[in-house]
C-alpha cells in the first residue's frame, strides 16, 4: 500500500510538472561552486528569464535569479550548498515556461563561492597572520 501511494504521488508530481511546461529545460548535473551549462529548447522568443528555485516550493521561492538571456543556454557557477534540491525555471518573452527535473546539488572540492563558507587554507592563513589584529568589519562595504 505504501509503495503504491509513493508511486501515485511521484507520477502525479511528474504529470503536474509536465502539464505546466510549455517547452523543455534540460535537467543538469549541479556540483557546488563548479560551472554548469544550462540549456533549454529554443522557442524563438527574444529573451529567456532563468531562475533557480527550491524543488519543495518552486512557485514561491527563488534561490538564484540568473537574469534575462537572448540565447537558449548559459553557463552558471552555483552558489548552492550540497544536498539542496532545486529546479531550473525558464520563462520566455512570450510568457511560455519550462522546468527542469529536480536536481540534488552534489558536493564539490571548492566551497569558496558559497556565502559564509571559507576554504580551509584561508582560515589557517587568516588566523596565523591576523591573530593580533582586531576583526575588520565589512558591513559597511570596506575591508
Amino acid at each position: 500500500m505504501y509503495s503504491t501511494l509513493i508511486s501515485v504521488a511521484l507520477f502525479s508530481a511528474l504529470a503536474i510538472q509536465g502539464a505546466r511546461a510549455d517547452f523543455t529545460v534540460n535537467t543538469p548535473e549541479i556540483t557546488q561552486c563548479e560551472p554548469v551549462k544550462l540549456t533549454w529548447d529554443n522557442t524563438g522568443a527574444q529573451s529567456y528569464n532563468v531562475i533557480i528555485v527550491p524543488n519543495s516550493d518552486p512557485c514561491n521561492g527563488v534561490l538564484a535569479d540568473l537574469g534575462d538571456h537572448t540565447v537558449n543556454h548559459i553557463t552558471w557557477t552555483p552558489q548552492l550548498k550540497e544536498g539542496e534540491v532545486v529546479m531550473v525555471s525558464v520563462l520566455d518573452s512570450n510568457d511560455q515556461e519550462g522546468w527542469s527535473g529536480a536536481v540534488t546539488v552534489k558536493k564539490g572540492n571548492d566551497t569558496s563561492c558559497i556565502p559564509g563558507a571559507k576554504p580551509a587554507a584561508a582560515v589557517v592563513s587568516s588566523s596565523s597572520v591576523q591573530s593580533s589584529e582586531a576583526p575588520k568589519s565589512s558591513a559597511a562595504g570596506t575591508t
Side-chain angles (χ1 to χ4, degrees):
M1 176 72 179
Y2 182 72
S3 63
T4 303
L5 180 61
I6 289 177
S7 297
V8 169
L10 179 60
F11 177 76
S12 297
L14 292 173
I16 290 169
Q17 180 179 330
R20 68 180 177 204
D22 297 315
F23 59 93
T24 301
V25 175
N26 296 313
T27 302
E29 185 172 297
I30 299 177
T31 303
Q32 63 187 19
C33 299
E34 292 183 12
V36 59
K37 187 171 185 177
L38 306 177
T39 61
W40 54 89
D41 288 346
N42 183 346
T43 64
Q46 291 181 346
S47 66
Y48 303 92
N49 181 266
V50 183
I51 60 173
I52 307 299
V53 297
N55 184 60
S56 60
D57 194 9
C59 295
N60 292 318
V62 175
L63 298 174
D65 186 339
L66 307 182
D68 293 323
H69 304 275
T70 57
V71 294
N72 66 325
H73 57 88
I74 60 170
T75 298
W76 166 61
T77 301
Q79 297 178 327
L80 302 172
K81 294 179 181 174
E82 169 193 7
E84 285 189 77
V85 183
V86 301
M87 293 172 37
V88 180
S89 171
V90 180
L91 178 67
D92 74 10
S93 56
N94 297 325
D95 285 331
Q96 294 183 6
E97 62 183 333
W99 298 81
S100 73
V103 181
T104 301
V105 177
K106 295 181 178 182
K107 181 178 181 175
N109 294 327
D110 180 13
T111 59
S112 64
C113 76
I114 299 172
K118 295 180 182 179
V123 172
V124 171
S125 66
S126 172
S127 63
S128 63
V129 174
Q130 298 179 355
S131 61
S132 62
E133 295 180 18
K136 296 181 182 180
S137 172
S138 61
T142 60
T143 55

